[in-house]
Amino acid sequence: MNEPDFDGVDEALALVGRAPARLAEPRPPGHRDTSWPQARALAARAGGGATPRVRRAPLGAALGRILAEPLTALTDLPSFDTSAMDGWAVAGPGPWEIRAGDSVLAGHGPTPALPDGVAVRIATGARVPADTTAVIRSEHARAEPGRGDRPGTAPSGGHLHARHEVVPGQDIRPRGQECRTGDELLPAATVVTPAVLGLASAAGYDELATVEPPRVEVLVLGDELLTSGVPHDGLIRDALGPMLGPWLRALGAEVPAVRRVGDDADALYEAVAGTDADLVVTTGGTAAGPVDHVHPVLRTLGAELLVDGVRVRPGHPMLLARLTASRYLVGLPGNPLAAVSGLLTLAEPLLRGLAGRRAPEPCRAPVRDGVHGHPHDTRLVPVVHRAGWAVPLHYAGPAMLRGLAAADGLAAVPPGGARPGDELEILDLPWTASTAAPVPAPAQGGCFT
Ligand SMILES: Nc1nc2c(c(=O)[nH]1)N[C@H]1C(S)=C(S)[C@@H](COP(=O)(O)OP(=O)(O)OC[C@H]3O[C@@H](n4cnc5c(N)ncnc54)[C@H](O)[C@@H]3O)O[C@H]1N2
Ligand code: MOO
């Protein structure tokens, strides 16, 4: 490729400059790469076209999964008129004669209707007797003992006086207040959180229909990679194997194992041809070096290249291939930040579709400092959120993870760059929701959550 200066920009911009943005130059003709927005849309379409596998699982096994169908109420909630307080059920105007006998407790069937002028003790959560006008909480009522009541026993035969005005319906939760049978409580594609489990249980569910997580196999290429110890003799540590498994799981995938296949074309062919995963993610070997085997292996397999290079820095050699009607391969470049760029550009939207998840609301934030742009390509730059600003981080070169490890997200810098105050799209990292500091709402809100 005849763009040494532009590629050099990526390295130079590992330290973020403050120069004013340059205007985008026209793309040289004949370039085959896909634009960054197109690549994301293509990956999302490929994932969204798949038919998700659905499984009915007991509530306890559904946590973190995606609802395959809407959650509709199997009952009215509450399913009967319920007392909201411990106190007295009363009918008609007071004072009321206290009905002798047991209190009305939670968990019991219907009790006899309440005639006007009568009160009966009732517990929070109990079914209110038919014809009850209101519930008066204990502290708002005064019970006058009847004859024969012993101290410490429930008064009976005495009278009940309200200390405050009684409003009809007070402290009664009417049947169906929260929902009616058949109401849609949550749409399909909702993530099953602990709160969803609670709601599903309250609404009568024993099990939930959820989308089976897509299975992803990670193949780490490269003979130069060590799995332990300090880099030596030209060998380096594998930074991607330890990162990609948990990252892909955070995106809703099942990742049984990360395999290292070295720079062996036959081993790569065998691994890809024999996989039963929905998605194979490879790292390294996407460029045109002597041991870059991803393209030749895909050709031998007859795979269809949906994306072959993306106009994004770092990570432009990333690719997306269809292996069979329902299996995909995402080739991530070997440089670690370039691999993350491929993960967010291609693997994330593809997996979102395969996992049945909804697209997140796009999130934008103003960038505090000017950011150099690539002349033709989008740049992804690690940023932290500070007082409503996205602040670009240093150490953002293609081979570096130092900036990313401190980041809250990646800002998409358009071709030509950004000036201070420009609103940029921010890609959240899957863990930022739990670590982000409270944010004074930026212009468009929603980032880092
Ligand atoms: N002639 C050209 N050479 C390169 C181009 C180009 O356009 N023309 N693009 C460069 C860019 S940009 C990238 S990104 C890389 C992509 O290369 P590959 O996907 O083929 O990756 P490798 O060559 O295998 O590795 C690149 C680099 O990353 C290191 N690496 C690989 N795997 C890991 C890992 N798991 N953990 C840590 N580091 C890893 C590897 O040692 C290399 O240093 O190609 C450029 N070349
Ligand atoms: O610029 Mo590459 O895409 O090093 O990452």
Side-chain angles (χ1 to χ4, degrees):
M1 195 185 304
N2 190 23
E3 294 183 349
D5 291 340
F6 303 156
D7 288 332
V9 165
D10 295 335
E11 301 289 351
L13 295 183
L15 298 179
V16 172
R18 289 164 194 269
R22 279 185 288 163
L23 285 178
E25 292 164 27
R27 184 89 204 143
H31 203 280
R32 286 171 35 245
D33 293 352
T34 311
S35 79
W36 184 67
Q38 276 172 339
R40 295 169 82 200
L42 236 146
R45 260 207 310 282
T51 311
R53 289 188 300 272
V54 176
R55 185 164 66 125
R56 290 193 179 274
L59 293 191
L63 185 67
R65 299 272 164 98
I66 305 297
L67 289 182
E69 44 193 54
L71 188 79
T72 50
L74 301 179
T75 175
D76 296 348
L77 282 180
S79 52
F80 48 81
D81 293 344
T82 309
S83 174
M85 295 289 162
D86 295 320
W88 301 88
V90 298
W96 300 270
E97 188 185 323
I98 296 173
R99 187 159 80 185
D102 288 342
S103 304
V104 184
L105 299 176
H108 290 261
T111 47
L114 214 51
D116 268 8
V118 172
V120 64
R121 253 202 188 289
I122 194 162
T124 304
R127 174 195 287 263
V128 300
D131 301 334
T132 296
T133 309
V135 165
I136 308 175
R137 27 186 110 176
S138 331
E139 59 273 33
H140 293 171
R142 184 171 55 81
E144 209 170 66
R147 269 175 301 164
D149 283 343
R150 278 174 291 124
T153 60
S156 61
H159 282 86
L160 186 79
H161 300 266
R163 295 180 193 275
H164 303 285
E165 188 198 346
V166 175
V167 179
Q170 75 180 30
D171 285 334
I172 296 174
R173 296 188 186 122
R175 175 180 183 157
Q177 185 184 44
E178 188 173 1
C179 64
R180 290 284 178 191
T181 304
D183 281 356
E184 182 175 311
L185 302 174
L186 293 168
T190 300
V191 180
V192 179
T193 61
V196 171
L197 289 180
L199 176 65
S201 178
Y205 282 83
D206 299 323
E207 50 181 34
L208 288 173
T210 57
V211 179
E212 278 285 276
R215 283 188 313 274
V216 180
E217 186 160 10
V218 178
L219 304 177
V220 175
L221 282 52
D223 285 342
E224 73 278 31
L225 302 175
L226 297 167
T227 54
S228 64
V230 176
H232 60 89
D233 300 321
L235 301 173
I236 61 167
R237 281 291 294 274
D238 169 22
L240 296 177
M243 182 169 73
L244 290 178
W247 197 315
L248 289 160
R249 285 185 199 105
L251 296 176
E254 202 170 85
V255 188
V258 171
R259 292 170 58 191
R260 290 178 177 77
V261 283
D263 283 322
D264 179 339
D266 291 338
L268 178 62
Y269 175 87
E270 294 299 332
V272 179
T275 189
D276 63 356
D278 302 297
L279 169 64
V280 177
V281 172
T282 59
T283 68
T286 57
V291 290
D292 290 339
H293 299 307
V294 175
H295 281 99
V297 163
L298 289 175
R299 269 196 300 278
T300 311
L301 286 165
E304 181 190 358
L305 272 172
L306 303 177
V307 175
D308 189 11
V310 175
R311 294 203 294 274
V312 64
R313 303 295 166 136
H316 72 93
M318 66 181 72
L319 59 88
L320 167 63
R322 202 196 314 264
L323 298 172
T324 66
S326 60
R327 280 190 225 297
Y328 292 89
L329 180 143
V330 168
L332 302 178
N335 278 326
L337 193 61
V340 169
S341 168
L343 185 68
L344 295 181
T345 301
L346 297 177
E348 193 273 332
L350 181 79
L351 279 174
R352 197 195 309 136
L354 297 177
R357 290 177 188 245
R358 279 194 294 268
E361 281 296 308
C363 148
R364 302 180 72 80
V367 69
R368 195 191 66 182
D369 312 320
V371 189
H372 281 293
H374 188 276
H376 315 295
D377 297 358
T378 303
R379 278 191 72 213
L380 296 182
V381 177
V383 290
V384 280
H385 191 81
R386 293 280 179 269
W389 296 98
V391 179
L393 292 170
H394 294 200
Y395 305 109
M400 299 179 188
L401 290 176
R402 189 169 163 186
L404 179 77
D408 293 323
L410 290 169
V413 179
R419 294 178 178 83
D422 281 358
E423 293 258 330
L424 299 183
E425 179 171 0
I426 309 288
L427 305 180
D428 275 345
L429 303 175
W431 51 86
T432 36
S434 56
T435 56
V439 174
Q444 309 270 326
C447 302
F448 311 120
T449 59

